[in-house]
Amino acid sequence: MADKLPIAVLISGTGRTVKNLIDHIEAGKLDVEIRLVVSSSERAPGLQYAEQNNIPIAIVKSSEYSETKEFSAAVFDACRQAKVAYVAMAGYLQLLEIPTDFEDKVLNIHPSLLPKFGGKGFYGYHVHHAVLTAGEEISGATVHFVNNKFDDGPIILQETVKVYPRDTIETLSERVLKEAEFVAYPKALQAIAEGRVQFDAERRVQILPKEA
Ligand code: GRF
């Protein structure tokens, strides 16, 4: 068993991603401690999962800050106070400026196989609509480190799903969430908790195999 990796989770919405992480932790499959949930809205339904599990909550709203830099500073101040080592965006819809002490410490999950179907405007159903319109036969989810652009940082890992001719946005998004996102995020965080995630000389992420 690896030591528990202290993390903060950033949410904006329904919170299925943070719920999945909590479920994996409770099942003993993820050596992570969620020390803080930061929400961009006090109305995010996902806050219920923090409340049910006695996880401290911080509400940090971008509307209360005039600059991205100040808003980001408030988010990361809360993370620093909670003494977390990593920050996991989970359905988080705000762009953040990553401070130096959190470089390569912030993760995001995106519901497509980046670099395809990522960037500004590609969120929620827009992603799956674009995948279906392009006639893709495979989609999936990408866990990546976050830099100061949407969906742009080094890729940690990807999980794929098939796209079927009869798929709708709803059926595809459900398959990507359950079969790709719910698998990929715990896997990436567990690899970090076990100290198996490294960068190579070209800043590509390498995941070392588990020791036998
Ligand atoms: C998922 O599509 C995920 O890829 C994206 O947000 C959606 C989940 O939101 N980042 P939530 O966790 O239910 O709030």
Side-chain angles (χ1 to χ4, degrees):
M1 272 283 173
D3 286 340
K4 295 253 182 216
L5 181 77
I7 70 165
V9 179
L10 274 44
I11 69 168
S12 295
T14 47
R16 293 162 296 178
T17 312
V18 70
K19 168 78 166 62
N20 175 57
L21 296 179
I22 292 168
D23 289 348
H24 275 75
I25 293 166
E26 283 185 350
K29 294 180 193 158
L30 179 57
D31 299 316
V32 158
E33 178 194 351
I34 303 175
R35 287 206 182 155
L36 178 69
V37 168
V38 181
S39 176
S40 56
S41 161
E42 69 271 40
R43 289 192 299 274
L47 286 169
Q48 65 181 301
Y49 302 118
E51 283 160 5
Q52 286 160 12
N53 291 279
N54 297 317
I55 300 168
I57 290 167
I59 310 290
V60 187
K61 296 200 271 190
S62 63
S63 57
E64 293 176 357
Y65 299 85
S66 54
E67 306 279 342
T68 306
K69 199 182 186 71
E70 287 152 17
F71 167 64
S72 305
V75 170
F76 286 103
D77 274 349
C79 295
R80 265 182 222 113
Q81 278 171 30
K83 298 202 184 332
V84 302
Y86 282 81
V87 174
M89 293 183 174
Y92 190 67
L93 297 175
Q94 303 289 334
L95 186 67
L96 292 176
E97 281 183 32
I98 314 290
T100 324
D101 58 329
F102 277 97
E103 272 172 22
D104 302 331
K105 305 285 182 201
V106 184
L107 287 77
N108 182 42
I109 186 152
H110 182 80
S112 77
L113 297 174
L114 291 174
K116 284 184 168 181
F117 311 108
K120 196 166 165 53
F122 280 110
Y123 61 91
Y125 80 90
H126 298 284
V127 177
H128 306 293
H129 178 258
V131 168
L132 292 174
T133 304
E136 297 288 315
E137 292 178 359
I138 292 179
S139 190
T142 304
V143 183
H144 63 95
F145 284 112
V146 176
N147 60 17
N148 294 334
K149 294 182 205 157
F150 279 115
D151 307 325
D152 187 67
I155 289 172
I156 303 170
L157 59 83
Q158 297 182 309
E159 291 285 331
T160 61
V161 298
K162 279 189 183 165
V163 181
Y164 297 105
R166 284 195 307 272
D167 265 325
T168 61
I169 292 171
E170 287 73 27
T171 60
L172 180 59
S173 65
E174 184 79 358
R175 187 175 317 115
V176 168
L177 186 76
K178 302 263 171 73
E179 296 178 20
E181 298 184 48
F182 281 6
V183 176
Y185 223 169
K187 203 188 264 189
L189 284 165
Q190 183 63 16
I192 290 173
E194 291 173 357
R196 293 189 290 111
V197 174
Q198 298 188 340
F199 285 93
D200 70 11
E202 276 84 45
R203 291 262 313 148
R204 281 185 305 244
V205 175
Q206 286 184 326
I207 301 187
L208 305 177
K210 287 188 192 209
E211 281 173 25

